[in-house]
């Protein structure tokens, strides 16, 4: 059987991601995006990225922007403890300059475990029953480097994913992402090289329309807020003001309130989750990453990129997402795409918010595992 890798990217409610909700204010969305950034210790299965591969060389790579610690700790029937994930973390030097944190979980039915920090606590062991799982913190997230003055872009994260597949996974992969992590997977897949593409499939959870709010310019709600978005950009580029805002947003109660607003299952918002999101925000370079992501270019739209992708795609969407709602432009596009393209499958998850894999992981596993099994058998 040809090898298949699963790479997942996700985003926590702290990372600045494009929001197309009608209820939250643009400023509040930016703060929520920041919180997602803090939480992003590891990939999908909570953000930064996770990769899964089978013993017979079948791999899954999952990338996300939510701290890996939490996701792994709640992996459905079996979970990894946060401390274990931290102890087993590995480092990969990207382009000779940047230390990228990642976690490796060999198949549960055999083999030793590798290390890494990821928000895949709730997902890793469930996904690793038959395949290897890699969870990767994107540059600027979790325990990966946050270089001062770095200009973060969607294209940069996609390049990092592509290099990770080539240098670390070294076999075809399924990319799994949440929010901005989903978009990074889409960008990576759209540029996957031939004749031996390393991206064999995509799993997108509540995919965002861009790196920040400025991406959703075709939504009348965002058009009305554009002047405010520009003002926020200007304010955040004043370091003293940005630092004060950042410090306020990092407060535990602020984080908890934002998380409660984007999670359908309120019980998932516990002290562990809050600390996972908060910890990376204290790292050197976290403020620069926050400002760069919120004020930078939104990057390419998934609407522009999806026609270039020919691999099977699974869409999982929480129906209570205030950031990228199904009735927003991105949600409507993907809903329509699933009815027109036989390669695209959509499942709407009831009672689920913006981070399905961490909000209600078992609902995600019910749809994801059969889809992966079918993909690997074809």
């Amino acid at each position: 059987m040809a090898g298949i890798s699963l790479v997942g990217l996700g985003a926590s409610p702290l990372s600045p991601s494009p929001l197309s909700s009608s209820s939250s204010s643009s400023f509040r969305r930016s703060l929520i995006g920041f919180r997602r950034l803090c939480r992003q210790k590891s990939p999908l299965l909570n953000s930064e990225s996770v990769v899964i591969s089978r013993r017979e060389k079948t791999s899954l790579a999952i990338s996300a922007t939510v701290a890996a610690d939490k996701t792994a700790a709640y992996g459905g029937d079996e979970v990894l403890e946060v401390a274990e994930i931290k102890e087993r973390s590995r480092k990969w030097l990207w382009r000779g300059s940047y230390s990228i944190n990642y976690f490796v979980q060999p198949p549960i039915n055999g083999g030793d475990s590798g290390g890494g920090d990821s928000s895949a606590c709730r997902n890793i062991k469930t996904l690793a029953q038959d395949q290897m799982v890699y969870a990767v913190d994107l540059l600027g997230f979790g325990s990966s480097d946050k270089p001062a003055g770095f200009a973060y872009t969607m294209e940069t994260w996609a390049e990092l994913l592509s290099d990770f597949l080539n240098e670390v996974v070294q076999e075809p992969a399924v990319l799994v992402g949440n929010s901005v992590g989903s978009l990074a997977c889409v960008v990576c897949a759209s540029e996957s090289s031939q004749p031996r593409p390393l991206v064999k499939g995509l799993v997108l959870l509540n995919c965002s329309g861009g790196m920040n709010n400025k991406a959703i310019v075709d939504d009348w709600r965002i058009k009305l807020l554009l002047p405010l978005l520009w003002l926020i950009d200007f304010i955040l580029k004043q370091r003293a003001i940005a630092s004060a805002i950042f410090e306020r947003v990092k407060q535990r109660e602020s984080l908890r309130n934002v998380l409660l607003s984007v999670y359908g299952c309120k019980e998932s918002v516990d002290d562990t989750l809050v600390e996972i999101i908060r910890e990376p925000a204290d790292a050197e370079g976290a403020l620069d990453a926050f400002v760069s992501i919120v004020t930078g270019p939104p990057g390419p739209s998934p609407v522009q990129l999806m026609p270039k992708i020919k691999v099977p795609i699974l869409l999982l969407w929480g129906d209570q997402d205030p950031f990228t709602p199904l009735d927003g432009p991105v949600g409507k596009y993907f809903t329509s795409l699933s009815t027109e393209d036989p390669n695209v499958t959509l499942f709407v998850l009831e009672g689920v918010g913006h981070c399905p894999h961490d909000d209600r992981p078992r609902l995600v596993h019910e749809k994801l595992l059969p889809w992966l099994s079918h993909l690997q058998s074809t």
Side-chain angles (χ1 to χ4, degrees):
M1 175 188 299
I4 298 179
S5 296
L6 173 62
V7 176
L9 289 176
S12 86
L14 276 180
S15 350
S17 70
L19 314 170
S20 60
S21 102
S22 57
S23 58
S24 301
S25 70
S26 171
F27 183 64
R28 184 161 176 265
R29 291 175 182 178
S30 296
L31 296 186
I32 292 176
F34 155 68
R35 294 169 187 156
R36 176 183 291 132
L37 172 65
C38 300
R39 177 177 181 189
Q40 270 125 41
K41 280 199 151 185
S42 87
L44 164 56
L45 307 182
N46 254 346
S47 180
E48 271 24 2
S49 63
V50 177
V51 179
I52 305 168
S53 50
R54 286 195 158 181
R55 295 181 67 185
E56 58 271 36
K57 303 301 286 182
T58 299
S59 308
L60 296 179
I62 300 169
S63 166
T65 51
V66 174
D69 299 345
K70 173 96 169 181
T71 304
Y74 292 87
D77 296 328
E78 299 188 64
V79 295
L80 288 171
E81 296 298 330
V82 172
E84 179 183 358
I85 289 181
K86 289 184 176 181
E87 290 173 1
R88 291 165 46 195
S89 291
R90 298 181 180 182
K91 300 295 182 181
W92 166 56
L93 191 62
W94 183 47
R95 298 187 173 177
S97 301
Y98 308 113
S99 176
I100 303 300
N101 187 70
Y102 73 100
F103 177 89
V104 181
Q105 175 63 59
I108 300 300
N109 54 13
D112 296 328
S113 297
D117 233 355
S118 96
S119 57
C121 303
R122 300 196 179 195
N123 302 270
I124 286 180
K125 281 201 170 182
T126 298
L127 293 173
Q129 294 303 309
D130 299 307
Q131 54 247 332
M132 186 85 75
V133 176
Y134 299 77
V136 184
D137 286 343
L138 295 179
L139 188 69
F141 293 102
S143 297
S144 289
D145 279 353
K146 302 169 186 63
F150 191 89
Y152 294 91
T153 66
M154 294 306 311
E155 292 86 349
T156 297
W157 288 327
E159 291 169 6
L160 185 155
L161 279 180
S162 180
D163 290 344
F164 186 82
L165 289 176
N166 279 290
E167 298 177 22
V168 180
V169 182
Q170 298 184 347
E171 58 188 12
V174 174
L175 303 182
V176 182
N178 169 227
S179 189
V180 172
S182 281
L183 183 55
C185 292
V186 169
V187 178
C188 179
S190 71
E191 299 175 350
S192 182
S193 59
Q194 300 291 335
R196 186 177 180 272
L198 287 180
V199 178
K200 300 295 292 184
L202 286 178
V203 180
L204 309 179
L205 291 80
N206 294 57
C207 185
S208 68
M211 188 171 74
N212 50 50
N213 296 335
K214 295 186 290 291
I216 317 297
V217 294
D218 54 346
D219 185 337
W220 66 269
R221 295 167 288 197
I222 296 299
K223 288 181 179 179
L224 291 176
L225 292 172
L226 274 178
L228 178 57
L229 295 179
W230 295 330
L231 175 60
I232 292 173
D233 284 1
F234 174 77
I235 292 174
L236 290 178
K237 289 178 180 179
Q238 316 308 309
R239 190 166 186 84
I241 299 176
S243 179
I245 293 174
F246 192 71
E247 289 301 318
R248 184 175 181 80
V249 171
K250 288 194 300 182
Q251 299 304 309
R252 290 180 178 83
E253 283 310 304
S254 295
L255 292 177
R256 187 183 304 276
N257 289 336
V258 172
L259 290 168
L260 287 172
S261 73
V262 298
Y263 272 59
C265 180
K266 308 307 180 185
E267 291 75 16
S268 294
V269 181
D270 54 18
D271 292 341
T272 300
L273 172 58
V274 172
E275 289 306 314
I276 284 174
I277 295 179
R278 186 175 182 275
E279 183 180 345
D282 289 328
E284 184 177 357
L287 173 60
D288 286 350
F290 168 56
V291 172
S292 176
I293 295 171
V294 172
T295 64
S301 164
V303 177
Q304 300 170 330
L305 300 177
M306 291 302 292
K308 301 179 182 179
I309 301 174
K310 306 304 179 184
V311 299
I313 299 170
L314 173 65
L315 302 171
L316 300 176
W317 218 284
D319 68 346
Q320 295 184 10
D321 184 357
F323 286 174
T324 52
L326 279 170
D327 67 348
V330 176
K332 287 181 178 178
Y333 168 74
F334 279 112
T335 299
S336 175
L337 185 65
S338 67
T339 65
E340 300 169 356
D341 189 339
N343 244 6
V344 179
T345 302
L346 168 66
F347 290 105
V348 176
L349 306 179
E350 295 184 5
V352 178
H354 185 62
C355 305
H357 55 288
D358 195 54
D359 192 337
R360 298 183 185 274
R362 290 191 181 183
L363 290 182
V364 171
H365 300 159
E366 288 175 3
K367 305 302 181 183
L368 174 58
L369 294 178
W371 184 86
L372 289 174
S373 179
H374 176 73
L375 178 66
Q376 293 171 356
S377 67
T378 58

